[in-house]
Amino acid sequence: MLTFRHTKTASGAQAVQVVTYRDRRVVVLKHIGSANGEEELILLDNEARVWISKYAQQSSIFPSIEPLIPKPTFLTELSGKQFVGIKYGLMYETFCLVYEHLGYATINNALFRDLCIMRLVKPASKVRSLELLRRYFCLSYSERSLYRALPEFLKQKEEIERLATTFISKQSEEDFSCVFYDVTTLYFESFDSDEFRKPGFSKDGKSQQPQVVVGLLVDKNGFPLKQEIFSGNTFEGKTMLPLIEAFQTEQKIKACTVVADAGMLSFANMEELRTKGLTYIVGARLGNLPNSLLEQVISFFKNKQEGMIFRIQTAYGDLICTYSEKRERKDRHDMEKQMDKAQKLLEQGETVRRSKFIKASKKGTYSFNEQLQEKTEHLLGLKGYYTNTTEQNLSNKEVIEKYKNLWRVEHSFRMSKSDLVARPIFHRKEDSIKAHLLICFVALSMGEYLEKTTGLSLRKIVDLLNQVPDARLKNIQTKKELLLRAPLSEETKILLKCLGVSY
């Protein structure tokens, strides 16, 4: 039989719990809430009765001796209340617990924590975030305190990254024997550059606008480990070594394999990684191979078959090439699309625009590049990798599989740019820009943890928690506020159970 009881909490409030009795023991089925007065207790008692009725899915066969809630009293109590708005307490509590679970609570900065949480809930400018913190969670901070705090956040960067790596090493016993690195660019809605925000090669196609370059290191599961911000005109190949070296020193790592994209490839980079005792797996641009080496590759894959693998020593390390029918279909589709574009430009005389298959002569005339077409056709379906690992340490297939996991960094960048809206960046000063991206780094680690733990997307998680607001009822006489939480859907309960959050 289900019933409810009152019990005192440590703070002296009256807790209302739905209980049953099994083997002469009290089993708590549901904690309804805590009341600080008679009025609140009546409301919680009513909620307990409703919960029991739904849980039992049947009405009592015995009429109550007293009405469940004396109707006049209930109406009188509500008449003394004023609805003052809603807050999303469950969402805030959940994200606070995730923040603490990852170890970031030791930073001991409430504003930093709340800005990270708001980045997950509704990304916006810092000033707008303060307004949203008031609206969503009834938390108040001044703009003055925000701008004072931004440079202070940067002093915690090393500690934050240490906490991130500590969490991963404990959670999955990660030894960081293999890490993944990539870069992206974030541009500004401005044409005014400075010493830090500079135009450069833009991955967003905004080469005329000032930008910054962001280097990100993640583990094999895509959890962020370290981040560095560089001026906008920094060549991406020069960003990897400083970050890897710092990570190696901080984590006291002697043996580690770095997986990176082809943009990181340079002879100096490879040599320095070797001298530091690090192994690497880097993408190779087969179209840029020396002619003698390219001819060997083309000759080997003359009769292409699924899964064929070619390996040869080069100055950059061993070159491994593999063939895939699926990749050939995609490459052929892309090639035909580019060829059609080139032909149309030539027909229309619009050769000023860049196109892969258009070549210019010394006389200033333009024509279709048939040699490039032939070369491209030979390389359809082929993918190349450079590595200084030996076959005894890592087989060809293991090298290829590790490189395939590089998508996890790209996924992190996509989450930063879409879900967390890392740009537009509304700051101009270098410290403020770096502080903003540090907030994005922590929010990214929280988002990755939430998605991997629950199997849901970050947007879906926020939507589910958004469906459980708390109604804020204010006692007109005592000025005290009572919160009435909306019922939870089964999907939300499953979400909270995955995260270990009680409700």
Side-chain angles (χ1 to χ4, degrees), residues 154-170:
L154 282 183
K155 295 178 182 178
Q156 302 293 335
K157 181 178 182 294
E158 286 187 13
E159 176 64 9
I160 286 169
E161 292 173 345
R162 186 192 69 78
L163 291 168
T165 52
T166 299
F167 172 78
I168 286 300
S169 61
K170 288 181 178 179

Side-chain angles (χ1 to χ4, degrees), residues 47 90 467-471 483-489:
E47 189 176 341
L90 181 63
Q467 294 169 17
V468 192
D470 295 331
L483 298 178
L484 289 179
R485 181 157 293 174
L488 278 66
S489 67

Side-chain angles (χ1 to χ4, degrees), residues 76-119:
T76 302
E77 299 300 333
L78 278 183
S79 65
K81 298 288 192 303
Q82 181 183 13
F83 176 75
V84 292
I86 61 173
K87 66 182 290 188
Y88 296 89
L90 181 63
M91 182 187 294
Y92 184 71
E93 293 159 16
T94 301
F95 289 158
C96 278
L97 286 172
V98 171
Y99 184 87
E100 292 172 11
H101 183 64
L102 296 180
Y104 296 132
T106 59
I107 300 300
N108 197 26
N109 189 310
L111 175 56
F112 181 78
R113 176 200 62 207
D114 294 342
L115 288 172
C116 293
I117 290 174
M118 187 47 66
R119 203 84 212 158

Side-chain angles (χ1 to χ4, degrees), residues 385-424:
Y385 317 86
Y386 283 112
T387 182
N388 64 338
T389 60
T390 63
E391 286 192 70
Q392 289 73 28
N393 292 332
L394 281 178
S395 68
N396 294 334
K397 288 186 177 179
E398 286 174 325
V399 169
I400 295 166
E401 285 303 315
K402 284 187 180 296
Y403 186 86
K404 285 181 179 178
N405 276 334
L406 192 60
W407 70 268
R408 297 188 184 278
V409 197
E410 296 165 356
H411 170 267
S412 294
F413 280 137
R414 280 197 299 274
M415 180 183 280
S416 292
K417 287 187 172 183
S418 57
D419 291 337
L420 305 180
V421 195
R423 69 152 306 278

Side-chain angles (χ1 to χ4, degrees), residues 349-366:
E350 298 180 17
T351 50
V352 177
R353 293 168 58 185
R354 293 182 61 187
S355 178
K356 179 177 179 179
F357 289 99
I358 293 179
K359 64 178 180 179
S361 68
K362 293 181 180 179
K363 296 180 181 179
T365 59
Y366 297 91

